[in-house]
Amino acid sequence: MLTTAEVLENRELDHNILHGQWDCTRDPAVHSTTWEWDFRTPAAAWKHTHNDLHHTWTDVGGPRPRPR
């Protein structure tokens, strides 16, 4: 049950908050610039690898260039 709770929290809350989906609420407790989560990777590092590197090529057709 603890594992399920952790997965749901990380997937449904943390992931969406760090994407900025809750920024419209203007609540600093759930804002993407102030949110820190209980995860091995710090939020800033996750945002860089996930948002900048992973989503840079989301919905872009053709072969992907290799990251430098």
Side-chain angles (χ1 to χ4, degrees), residues 10-61:
N10 285 336
R11 182 70 187 141
E12 296 304 320
L13 287 175
D14 300 334
H15 177 262
N16 293 333
I17 290 170
L18 291 176
H19 263 298
Q21 292 175 347
W22 291 42
D23 289 357
C24 63
T25 66
R26 298 188 181 161
D27 182 351
V30 292
H31 198 275
S32 64
T33 60
T34 58
W35 184 259
E36 190 57 61
W37 58 357
D38 183 21
F39 196 65
R40 292 180 188 204
T41 305
W46 184 89
K47 285 196 301 188
H48 172 68
T49 58
H50 187 77
N51 295 343
D52 299 336
L53 301 179
H54 170 68
H55 282 295
T56 298
W57 305 108
T58 301
D59 298 327
V60 175

